[in-house]
Amino acid sequence: MTYVVTEPCIKCKYTDCVAVCPVDAFHVGPNFMVIDPGECIDCSLCVAECPVSAIFNEPDLPVEYARYVALNAELSRTWPLTKDKGEPLVDADRWSEVKEKLQYLETVETV
Ligand code: SF4
Ligand code: F3S
């Protein structure tokens, strides 16, 4: 079992989740965050911290976010570990209202 970061995080990346995680579970990409399923201890602390409710326990995952289980597992293998809360992305508040953001996921730094 693991917790899973899903679509609402894309282009927002508020990072409040990282600050409460007691283990090394979070990995960060250009405009999204993922949880390493091998490190997550299912404490659930990160869920309430996310301002856009992007994090779910895997059994409670909405069906439209099913593919995020594999995405978290895959991307956490290559993206760097993070323990630091940072600044949200530019326009995070505006993007928090947008649906169907998977098309905007960046897996490689473009700058
Ligand atoms: Fe970290 Fe707990 Fe969230 Fe897992 S559920 S990513 S251990 S804060
Ligand atoms: Fe993303 Fe929410 Fe964490 S927007 S970075 S899952 S606080």
Coordinates of all heavy atoms in Angstrom, one line a residue, residues 1 11-13 17 35 37 40-41 50 53 55 61 69 71 76 108 110:
M1 N 0.9 -1.2 0.0 CA 0.0 0.0 0.0 C 0.9 1.2 0.0 O 2.0 1.2 0.5 CB -0.9 0.0 1.2 CG -2.3 0.6 1.0 SD -3.2 -0.4 -0.2 CE -3.7 -1.7 0.9
K11 N 1.4 21.5 -12.0 CA 1.5 23.0 -12.2 C 1.2 23.8 -11.0 O 1.1 25.0 -11.0 CB 0.7 23.4 -13.4 CG 1.3 23.0 -14.7 CD 0.7 23.6 -16.0 CE 1.1 25.0 -16.3 NZ 2.5 25.0 -16.9
C12 N 1.1 23.1 -9.8 CA 0.9 23.8 -8.6 C 2.1 23.6 -7.7 O 2.8 24.5 -7.3 CB -0.4 23.3 -7.9 SG -1.9 23.8 -8.7
K13 N 2.3 22.3 -7.3 CA 3.5 21.9 -6.5 C 3.6 22.8 -5.2 O 4.7 23.5 -5.1 CB 4.7 22.0 -7.3 CG 5.8 20.9 -6.9 CD 6.9 20.8 -7.9 CE 7.9 21.9 -7.9 NZ 9.1 21.6 -8.8
C17 N 3.2 19.2 1.5 CA 3.3 17.7 1.9 C 4.6 17.3 2.4 O 4.7 16.5 3.3 CB 2.9 16.9 0.6 SG 3.8 17.3 -0.9
I35 N 5.3 10.3 -4.8 CA 5.7 9.5 -3.6 C 6.3 8.2 -4.0 O 5.7 7.5 -4.9 CB 4.4 9.3 -2.7 CG1 4.0 10.6 -2.2 CG2 4.7 8.3 -1.6 CD1 2.6 10.6 -1.5
P37 N 6.6 4.5 -3.6 CA 5.8 3.5 -2.9 C 6.6 2.6 -2.0 O 6.1 2.0 -1.1 CB 5.1 2.7 -4.0 CG 6.0 3.0 -5.2 CD 6.6 4.3 -5.0
C40 N 7.1 5.1 1.4 CA 5.9 5.6 2.1 C 5.5 4.6 3.2 O 5.4 3.4 2.9 CB 4.8 5.8 1.1 SG 3.3 6.3 1.9
I41 N 5.3 5.1 4.4 CA 4.9 4.2 5.5 C 3.4 4.3 5.9 O 3.0 3.9 6.9 CB 5.8 4.4 6.8 CG1 5.7 5.9 7.2 CG2 7.2 4.0 6.5 CD1 6.3 6.2 8.6
C50 N -2.0 19.1 1.8 CA -2.1 19.5 0.4 C -3.3 20.4 0.2 O -4.4 20.0 0.4 CB -2.2 18.3 -0.5 SG -2.3 18.9 -2.2
S53 N -5.8 18.9 -2.3 CA -6.2 17.6 -2.1 C -5.8 16.6 -3.2 O -6.6 15.9 -3.8 CB -7.8 17.5 -2.0 OG -8.2 18.3 -0.9
I55 N -3.4 14.2 -2.8 CA -2.8 13.0 -2.3 C -3.9 12.0 -1.7 O -4.8 12.5 -0.9 CB -1.8 13.2 -1.2 CG1 -0.7 14.2 -1.7 CG2 -1.2 11.9 -0.7 CD1 0.3 14.6 -0.7
L61 N -8.3 5.8 -4.2 CA -8.0 6.6 -5.3 C -9.2 6.7 -6.3 O -9.8 5.7 -6.7 CB -6.8 5.9 -6.1 CG -6.0 6.7 -7.0 CD1 -5.3 7.9 -6.3 CD2 -4.9 5.8 -7.7
V69 N -0.8 5.8 -10.0 CA -0.1 4.8 -9.2 C 1.2 4.4 -9.9 O 2.3 4.5 -9.3 CB -0.9 3.5 -9.0 CG1 -0.1 2.4 -8.2 CG2 -2.2 3.8 -8.2
L71 N 2.6 6.1 -12.3 CA 3.4 7.4 -12.5 C 4.2 7.7 -11.3 O 5.4 8.1 -11.4 CB 2.5 8.6 -12.8 CG 2.2 8.9 -14.3 CD1 1.3 10.1 -14.3 CD2 3.5 9.2 -15.0
S76 N 9.4 8.4 -9.3 CA 10.2 8.4 -8.1 C 11.5 7.7 -8.3 O 12.4 7.9 -7.5 CB 9.4 7.9 -6.9 OG 9.2 6.5 -7.1
V108 N 10.9 16.1 -17.6 CA 12.3 16.5 -17.8 C 12.4 18.0 -17.7 O 11.5 18.7 -18.2 CB 12.9 16.0 -19.1 CG1 14.4 16.4 -19.2 CG2 12.8 14.5 -19.3
T110 N 13.0 21.6 -18.6 CA 13.1 22.2 -20.0 C 13.9 23.4 -20.0 O 14.0 24.1 -21.0 CB 11.7 22.4 -20.5 OG1 11.0 23.2 -19.6 CG2 11.0 21.1 -20.8

